[in-house]
Amino acid sequence: MTASLRFVPRILSGIQPSGSVHLGNYLGALRNWVSEQHEADCYYSIVDLHAITAEHDPRTLRDTTKELATVLFAIGIDPEVSCLFVQSHVPEHAQLGWIMESTVTFGELSRMTQFKDKGKGEEKVRASLFTYPALMAADILLYRADKVPVGDDQRQHIELARNAATRFNNAYGQVFTIPEPMIPKVGARVMDLQNPSKKMSKSSSTDSGLIYLSEDSTSIAKKIKRAVTDTENRLVYEPDNPDKAGVTNLLEIYSAFTSIHPQEVADSFTNYGGLKTELAELVIEHLTAINLRIKEISEDPNELLRLLQIGAAKAREVASSTLYDAKNAIGFLAP
Ligand code: TYM
C-alpha cells in the first residue's frame, strides 16, 4: 500500500507594529493569514526591526508590538497551529539581512517605490529605510517560504526577494526556496476613505480615512457615512475610472466581506446612502466580534508574552538551520 503524501506549503508573512491595524491590512493580508492556517505551515512575524526604519518612540513601539500581537490572536491566528513571533526575538533575521544586503544591489534598492515614497522630502532618512527590502527578503528566505500572503503594495518587495534568492542560489548553491506572492483578488488595495486615490495607510496624516480593527461602532459608521464618493450619484462599478475611485473602494470593501462580485453589489443598490449604510453594518458586525476577543486576550498579558516566546523558539529552529546553510554556502568559516 502506498501512502499518499500531500505537499504542505510553507507560508511566511509580516506586519509592522507601527500604529494600529486597519481594514487595509486586514482585507489585504491578515484574513489570508488566518484562512491559510489549516492549508499550510505558517510563520507570521511582527516585524519590529522594520518599524525602526522611520522615526519612532521606544515606549510606543513596545506597546504597539503587544497590541498587534493581541489583534493577531483576536482575528484568529491560532498559536496551536501557526507560529507567531516578534522579529527581534529571532536574531537570525538581522544576520541574514546583512547577507541579503550583500546579495542585492544599490540599483535594485534605488528602484523600490516604497523607498522613493517614504523617503521623499524627509531630511533625515534612515539608512535602514533604504536597505529595508533586503531585510524583508531575509525574513522570507529564512523560512524557505513557498508563499507570502500580502497586499498589492508588497509585490515589488517580493519580486526583489525572488531575485535575491535566485542570484544567491546560482552563485553559491541551492539554499533558498523561491517564494510566490499570494495576493487576494479583492481587498488587495483598500483605499483611504477620504482620499480614494491613495491606499489606506498607517502613515496617513489624518485617520479620518482609515478604519481600525479596534475602532468602535459609532466611529466606523461615521467614517463610512462621510467617505468621499463623487457628485454624479451614478452607482456603477468602474474600477478603471479615477473619478469613481471612492465608490469603487466602497464596493470592493463590501465585496471582500461578502464574496459578492463588486459589479453585483453595485447592481443591488440605487444610491450611495444605501450602500454606505449596509456597508457600515457589515463592517461593524465583523469587527465587533474581533473586539470582544481583543478584550478577552488583553486580560492576560502574561499569556500573550508566553505565546510569543514559544513562537520565537519555534521560528528560531527553522531560521537557524537556514542561516547555517547560507553562511556555509557563502564561505564563512564555521566557529
Ligand atoms: P505593512 O505592515 O505595511 O502591512 C501589512 C500587510 O498589510 C497589507 N496592506 C494593505 N493591503 C491592502 N490595502 C491596503 N491599503 C494595505 N495596507 C497594507 C500589506 O500589503 C501587508 O501585506 N514590508 C511589509 C512588512 C514585512 C513583510 C515581511 C511582509 C516585513 N517583512 C516579509 C511579508 C513578508 C509592510 O510594511 O507591511
Side-chain angles (χ1 to χ4, degrees), residues 30-300:
L30 303 181
R31 275 200 329 172
N32 267 344
W33 292 21
V34 176
S35 64
E36 283 304 308
Q37 291 184 107
H38 297 283
E39 309 298 324
D41 182 21
C42 299
Y43 290 79
Y44 298 130
S45 183
I46 296 174
V47 292
D48 53 353
L49 299 183
H50 287 269
I52 60 164
T53 58
E55 205 175 310
H56 76 286
D57 170 58
R59 199 175 328 150
T60 309
L61 178 59
R62 241 183 307 275
D63 288 345
T64 48
T65 301
K66 284 186 272 185
E67 187 197 313
L68 179 53
T70 306
V71 170
L72 292 174
F73 286 129
I75 61 167
I77 299 296
D78 179 353
E80 299 281 327
V81 187
S82 300
C83 174
L84 177 69
F85 64 97
V86 176
Q87 187 186 29
S88 65
H89 294 176
V90 181
E92 285 78 5
H93 286 254
Q95 291 189 50
L96 189 66
W98 183 255
I99 294 179
M100 284 300 118
E101 283 184 35
S102 311
T103 305
V104 301
T105 64
F106 182 84
E108 280 171 320
L109 293 177
S110 310
R111 286 192 287 278
M112 292 288 125
T113 52
Q114 180 178 285
F115 175 72
K116 290 189 206 161
D117 291 348
K118 287 197 177 168
K120 201 164 52 186
E122 294 288 328
E123 216 175 278
K124 290 187 179 153
V125 176
R126 295 183 179 175
S128 56
L129 185 68
F130 185 66
T131 56
Y132 177 120
L135 179 61
M136 179 161 161
D139 298 340
I140 299 167
L141 302 183
L142 264 182
Y143 298 88
R144 297 188 163 114
D146 300 290
K147 294 196 273 179
V148 188
V150 282
D152 188 63
D153 61 344
Q154 299 300 315
R155 214 181 265 279
Q156 197 187 25
H157 287 155
I158 309 236
E159 198 49 42
L160 185 81
R162 287 168 59 82
N163 292 341
T166 308
R167 189 173 307 147
F168 187 101
N169 287 351
N170 288 342
Y172 311 117
Q174 290 299 316
V175 171
F176 299 123
T177 301
I178 314 296
E180 291 284 342
M182 188 182 183
I183 296 172
K185 282 206 177 73
V186 274
R189 206 169 176 78
V190 177
M191 309 309 275
D192 187 292
L193 299 179
Q194 285 302 313
N195 186 357
S197 61
K198 277 200 163 155
K199 69 168 186 181
M200 192 177 279
S201 164
K202 289 169 198 165
S203 51
S204 291
S205 52
T206 107
D207 69 1
S208 53
L210 276 77
I211 291 178
Y212 298 107
L213 291 205
S214 53
E215 197 151 343
D216 68 73
S217 314
T218 320
S219 171
I220 295 174
K222 210 185 277 173
K223 285 183 179 177
I224 294 183
K225 195 169 170 206
R226 290 185 186 157
V228 165
T229 45
D230 52 77
T231 48
E232 267 190 347
N233 219 4
R234 193 169 57 89
L235 213 165
V236 286
Y237 181 55
E238 290 177 354
D240 298 326
N241 180 353
D243 296 337
K244 289 280 168 195
V247 70
T248 296
N249 192 33
L250 298 179
L251 291 169
E252 289 183 351
I253 297 173
Y254 194 105
S255 168
F257 275 111
T258 57
S259 302
I260 303 172
H261 192 281
Q263 178 64 62
E264 228 180 286
V265 181
D267 293 344
S268 64
F269 287 98
T270 48
N271 58 59
Y272 293 163
L275 170 65
K276 285 178 171 178
T277 307
E278 262 203 42
L279 178 62
E281 279 168 17
L282 263 179
V283 176
I284 289 167
E285 188 189 314
H286 205 92
L287 299 193
T288 302
I290 293 177
N291 270 305
L292 285 175
R293 285 287 298 139
I294 291 179
K295 284 205 183 78
E296 278 168 26
I297 297 168
S298 306
E299 278 165 19
D300 194 348

